[in-house]
Amino acid sequence: MQAVLEKRMDKLKRLQAIRNIGFIAHIDAGKTTTTERVLFYTGRIHKLGEVDEGTTITDWMPQERERGITITSAATYCQWKNYEINIIDTPGHVDFTAEVERSLKVLDGCVVILCAQGGVEPQSETVWRQADRYKVARIVFVNKMDKVGADLFKCEMEIKEKLGAQPVIMQLPIYKDGQFVGIIDLLKEKAIYYKEEPAIELVYEDMPEESRDWVKKYRDSLFEKLSEKDDSIMERFIEGKDIPEAKLIDSVRKLTLKREIVPVFCGSALKNRGIQLLLDGICRYLPSPADIGSISGFDYEHNLKEIQMDEDARFCGLCFKVAADPYVGKLNYVRIYSGKVKAGDFVYNSLKKNRERITKIVRMHANRQELKDSASCGDIVCLVGLKDADTGDTICTKEEPVILEKMLFPEPVISQAIEPKLQSEQDKLSYALKRLEEEDPTFRARYNPETGQTIISGMGQLHLEIAVDRILRIFNVSAHVGKPQVAFKETISKKATATGKFIQQTGGRGHYGHVVLFLEPKDAPGVDFESKVKGGVIPQEYIKEVEKGVEEASRSGILGGYPLTKIKVTLIDGSYHEVDSSDLAFQMAASLAFNEGLRKAASILLEPIMKLEVLVPLEYLSQVIGDLNSRKAKIFAIQDRANIKLIDAHIALREIFDYADILRNITQGRGVYTMEPAFYDKVPQEVLHRIVGSFS
């Protein structure tokens, strides 16, 4: 018994020493540079790479190195002291927000990186809300403290005002002759300097005399914020007793895990300042899998099931990303929530309801692979051999199947046509598009029968630009590419019932299919199907064919051939013939009924509306507002930010394709903007005729 208890304690200690974290931020806040320094100081790499030079570990794709941005989330790991840290470096550009979404789904904690100059920027707010949605504990690292205009306290204020969080400053910067030279640790009340580059050795000294008032102010603020939420700290604080550092660390950790406070650290990743202290903060304050305890899932009867994060439990993991590898084939990134798995084991895909064998288990270091014999609860690994598993699939045991909550991804907002230069390369193009769709849930490819073109869709111009670049360079396909176009959608404006009959009599056996569909609008994206026929009106095997017919028909609407969305389709009646009914007949009948239903339900066209944020100097404000008004933008806020104005607006994507050039000309290159999809809205009638022409 004693041996069993000791073994369980060892497993618990291992779990408590794991940190599954991500770096998230606005573009150019320094995520990749911070990741690079973390890997260097933990001994994972021995030479510092630079984003500008294209030499970083996690930005390994040629497209990332050429553009100096992160495009795909990269997984790696390192060890710091007695802790094992699994890291995901995520993109900051809004076009690749799905990479952040799926990373946050499987992370226990994250580091939000803010630029000390820019503060809480637009994409910072977006990723913060994503972390809120998945209830991820976080700490903040205010980066670029060496830059002119760096302001830790402005960042603190904006965290409170824009993000609605309770920031707790843990460190203060030390400046000498305008240079960022060190950091004051508020818990230790010590100044920390760096002996020599690359700043491996930290030197603790007494605080500068001129900093003592600041230190007292922010230590008191730290105590007050902890006292509000921790009675044991309040009691000591009121009585004027000393509070041991270990007690403060314990209180900060407890409140961070509850997401009641956000510890704030500072430094400069580029100048190698503050990284070791950030690592200490990650290990001290962010949760381990043991702190999370369990996650929720469902069985096939939709009963709630709690999956305990325990190595001795049944195996369960979530495939959160799929990638293609030229040597081993398909890589399924899996976060393991419970149990243990070995290379050679068979696992069960609860969504696809199939059993597959794991041929290899690898741990990723960006694009490099390290073989593992096994993986267990708390690990983030790649499983090789799962041919049918896609992003969002639950991998578990067949004896105890469970379905974890799937991730939701935004709808694409921009499209363009692509076709091979040579007909002989059509198969290569189809293969490339299929691989890209597997890897990226926000990338879509479809064939438009009206134009005979293949249409690819994504989250923005950069997103499609990267996809096309990969098709040309990685998959070696020569292709013609059209201009980017708005990804319109079609939906219905009212309820309707429609009948579809497909009757065809040939010399022998004919075809007979008859369905009645009820179509109604819904709020959520996509087209849902449900069957309510009873009593064998239509045999079960044909109901599946009806669903296939609806799915096929929903890819191309009646207005301009655009995909359908926000529709619920219910099969309410129909009939069949014992001899002449066939799969094809019911697919065709469903397609006919669906298209008839679109006409009866007054099909309408939807367009993507973007959330636009424009940063502009005051002297150009009126010109920018005038231009936005001419584009029928809805301006809902104009805010002050330092010496510039921030304009918040909603605008149709079709109005803003050329906005980068327009804004550059209006503001003489001094204005910048960011935008992201907000929602889909009905296309105005006068615009509708320009898009699809006259129709009845």
Side-chain angles (χ1 to χ4, degrees):
M1 180 64 75
Q2 183 65 28
V4 172
L5 286 174
E6 287 178 359
K7 192 173 181 181
R8 285 197 63 82
M9 286 302 296
D10 287 342
K11 289 178 180 178
L12 180 60
K13 285 179 181 177
R14 173 194 167 271
L15 212 56
Q16 289 173 335
I18 293 175
R19 297 291 181 270
N20 290 316
I21 66 145
F23 292 112
I24 61 175
H26 186 88
I27 191 169
D28 202 32
K31 295 179 302 302
T32 301
T33 303
T34 304
T35 305
E36 194 77 7
R37 269 51 182 179
V38 164
L39 295 176
F40 177 77
Y41 287 113
T42 56
R44 195 72 183 82
I45 60 176
H46 303 290
K47 182 181 178 183
L48 285 172
E50 302 295 347
V51 171
D52 293 342
E53 296 171 8
T55 55
T56 57
I57 294 294
T58 52
D59 282 354
W60 57 270
M61 291 173 60
Q63 293 84 359
E64 293 176 312
R65 294 189 166 183
E66 289 167 3
R67 291 166 175 80
I69 61 170
T70 301
I71 292 169
T72 181
S73 54
T76 185
Y77 69 96
C78 59
Q79 288 185 320
W80 180 248
K81 299 178 179 176
N82 295 319
Y83 293 88
E84 186 176 296
I85 307 174
N86 294 312
I87 300 170
I88 297 181
D89 176 29
T90 65
H93 198 286
V94 68
D95 282 16
F96 308 105
T97 188
E99 291 288 331
V100 183
E101 188 82 18
R102 59 183 173 189
S103 298
L104 286 171
K105 172 68 177 173
V106 299
L107 294 174
D108 301 325
C110 65
V111 180
V112 181
I113 300 177
L114 301 181
C115 171
Q117 288 176 309
V120 177
E121 297 172 280
Q123 189 66 6
S124 308
E125 294 186 60
T126 301
V127 297
W128 190 276
R129 304 301 173 213
Q130 288 174 298
D132 278 342
R133 185 158 57 248
Y134 292 112
K135 299 179 179 178
V136 178
R138 66 216 82 151
I139 62 177
V140 169
F141 179 61
V142 180
N143 191 25
K144 303 187 180 183
M145 291 301 299
D146 58 307
K147 297 290 186 182
V148 175
D151 192 338
L152 175 66
F153 311 113
K154 183 192 80 169
C155 292
E156 177 197 25
M157 179 187 68
E158 291 189 351
I159 292 169
K160 191 181 300 182
E161 294 178 354
K162 294 184 178 181
L163 305 178
Q166 178 65 281
V168 175
I169 289 182
M170 308 296 291
Q171 301 168 340
L172 295 174
I174 302 173
Y175 290 95
K176 186 175 182 181
D177 299 328
Q179 299 296 311
F180 176 53
V181 295
I183 293 169
I184 295 174
D185 185 328
L186 288 180
L187 298 190
K188 292 183 182 296
E189 292 187 277
K190 288 287 185 180
I192 301 160
Y193 298 98
Y194 297 86
K195 196 167 185 180
E196 57 186 36
E197 296 303 332
I200 292 175
E201 188 177 338
L202 277 60
V203 179
Y204 286 81
E205 297 182 3
D206 290 336
M207 296 178 296
E209 198 61 40
E210 62 272 16
S211 300
R212 292 191 179 276
D213 289 343
W214 279 102
V215 171
K216 184 179 186 312
K217 175 183 175 181
Y218 280 94
R219 262 180 72 86
D220 287 348
S221 174
L222 169 66
F223 294 153
E224 287 169 9
K225 289 174 181 177
L226 296 181
S227 297
E228 289 172 5
K229 302 174 186 296
D230 188 329
D231 291 341
S232 62
I233 297 290
M234 177 183 284
E235 185 179 326
R236 287 174 175 268
F237 184 55
I238 290 174
E239 294 175 1
K241 294 180 180 178
D242 285 339
I243 306 175
E245 182 184 349
K247 177 68 177 173
L248 290 171
I249 290 172
D250 182 64
S251 180
V252 172
R253 174 176 175 75
K254 181 174 67 176
L255 296 174
T256 302
L257 298 191
K258 291 180 180 178
R259 302 188 307 282
E260 293 183 6
I261 65 169
V262 181
V264 179
F265 299 81
C266 65
S268 169
L270 188 64
K271 299 295 183 183
N272 309 313
R273 302 287 187 265
I275 302 301
Q276 296 100 319
L277 302 176
L278 175 62
L279 279 163
D280 286 338
I282 289 169
C283 298
R284 283 176 177 174
Y285 306 123
L286 290 181
S288 70
D291 293 311
I292 303 299
S294 65
I295 60 164
S296 298
F298 296 89
D299 61 19
Y300 287 138
E301 282 72 48
H302 304 289
N303 298 313
L304 187 67
K305 294 191 72 174
E306 288 293 317
I307 294 95
Q308 298 297 322
M309 296 202 186
D310 184 350
E311 190 177 315
D312 295 324
R314 294 267 191 188
F315 171 73
C316 179
L318 181 72
C319 175
F320 67 95
K321 178 175 176 172
V322 175
D325 184 272
Y327 302 107
V328 300
K330 193 174 177 182
L331 291 171
N332 290 88
Y333 286 73
V334 174
R335 161 69 195 267
I336 300 176
Y337 287 106
S338 68
K340 187 174 182 178
V341 68
K342 301 189 297 293
D345 283 356
F346 282 90
V347 291
Y348 187 67
N349 186 325
S350 58
L351 281 172
K352 302 287 194 318
K353 296 186 177 180
N354 64 353
R355 194 163 170 258
E356 293 191 274
R357 182 173 176 268
I358 299 168
T359 56
K360 287 181 183 177
I361 299 175
V362 296
R363 200 172 196 180
M364 300 303 294
H365 180 45
N367 63 329
R368 303 172 194 173
Q369 301 166 13
E370 298 174 7
L371 280 172
K372 285 175 66 74
D373 295 327
S374 63
S376 56
C377 174
D379 287 340
I380 294 177
V381 294
C382 280
L383 304 183
V384 181
L386 308 183
K387 294 181 176 63
D388 294 330
D390 294 317
T391 299
D393 286 0
T394 303
I395 312 298
C396 55
T397 61
K398 192 172 183 179
E399 295 74 23
E400 198 170 327
V402 64
I403 299 174
L404 300 177
E405 181 188 17
K406 288 200 74 170
M407 291 163 275
L408 297 176
F409 297 104
E411 290 286 306
V413 297
I414 189 170
S415 300
Q416 64 187 136
I418 185 169
E419 57 186 23
K421 289 181 179 179
L422 302 173
Q423 193 61 36
S424 60
E425 292 195 311
Q426 181 63 54
D427 288 345
K428 282 174 67 177
L429 176 61
S430 298
Y431 172 76
L433 294 176
K434 184 182 177 185
R435 292 284 285 272
L436 290 176
E437 281 190 297
E438 282 180 349
E439 291 184 23
D440 186 349
T442 58
F443 177 83
R444 311 278 169 78
R446 65 183 177 90
Y447 178 73
N448 187 333
E450 294 189 6
T451 63
Q453 292 177 311
T454 298
I455 307 297
I456 57 175
S457 304
M459 299 307 299
Q461 286 176 276
L462 180 61
H463 188 197
L464 289 187
E465 181 187 318
I466 298 297
V468 169
D469 190 56
R470 293 187 66 196
I471 290 169
L472 300 178
R473 292 166 60 176
I474 307 300
F475 296 97
N476 199 27
V477 178
S478 301
H480 293 293
V481 183
K483 289 184 178 179
Q485 304 288 332
V486 175
F488 293 101
K489 303 278 185 185
E490 292 184 34
T491 191
I492 54 177
S493 55
K494 60 183 182 181
K495 301 176 181 179
T497 302
T499 300
K501 281 188 178 182
F502 184 77
I503 304 173
Q504 190 177 70
Q505 194 65 45
T506 57
R509 177 181 171 179
H511 292 287
Y512 181 90
H514 168 219
V515 301
V516 181
L517 301 179
F518 178 66
L519 280 67
E520 58 186 320
K522 68 183 183 78
D523 293 331
V527 177
D528 293 342
F529 176 84
E530 182 184 3
S531 172
K532 287 190 176 179
V533 295
K534 296 178 180 177
V537 174
I538 299 175
Q540 191 64 38
E541 62 266 26
Y542 292 139
I543 291 175
K544 291 181 180 178
E545 301 307 317
V546 174
E547 185 174 2
K548 280 185 185 177
V550 168
E551 183 183 339
E552 184 66 32
S554 70
R555 294 174 185 169
S556 181
I558 61 172
L559 295 182
Y562 299 107
L564 277 300
T565 190
K566 295 187 175 183
I567 300 176
K568 182 178 180 183
V569 181
T570 307
L571 176 62
I572 57 174
D573 201 1
S575 62
Y576 77 104
H577 190 280
E578 289 187 359
V579 176
D580 289 348
S581 284
S582 64
D583 292 351
L584 174 63
F586 274 97
Q587 285 184 31
M588 294 299 296
S591 181
L592 292 169
F594 185 78
N595 286 327
E596 177 63 23
L598 294 180
R599 283 185 277 272
K600 286 185 174 181
S603 190
I604 59 174
L605 199 64
L606 301 175
E607 65 177 339
I609 305 299
M610 312 300 286
K611 182 178 184 292
L612 176 71
E613 295 191 338
V614 186
L615 283 167
V616 57
L618 179 60
E619 58 264 38
Y620 301 108
L621 181 64
S622 60
Q623 296 97 308
V624 172
I625 289 176
D627 178 72
L628 289 174
N629 287 333
S630 72
R631 296 166 185 269
K632 297 181 175 61
K634 294 180 180 177
I635 298 171
F636 53 86
I638 300 175
Q639 305 173 42
D640 289 315
R641 182 177 285 187
N643 299 320
I644 54 178
K645 294 286 186 178
L646 173 64
I647 304 170
D648 288 315
H650 283 144
I651 188 168
L653 179 59
R654 60 183 159 79
E655 294 281 2
I656 205 167
F657 266 101
D658 58 349
Y659 196 61
D661 292 335
I662 295 293
L663 184 63
R664 190 181 302 115
N665 292 334
I666 292 175
T667 64
Q668 297 183 13
R670 295 175 62 193
V672 294
Y673 77 99
T674 60
M675 66 175 180
E676 61 183 90
F679 53 89
Y680 269 81
D681 200 10
K682 184 179 178 182
V683 171
Q685 197 67 27
E686 66 274 13
V687 178
L688 180 63
H689 287 283
R690 292 206 308 267
I691 296 169
V692 300
S694 299
F695 62 96
S696 57

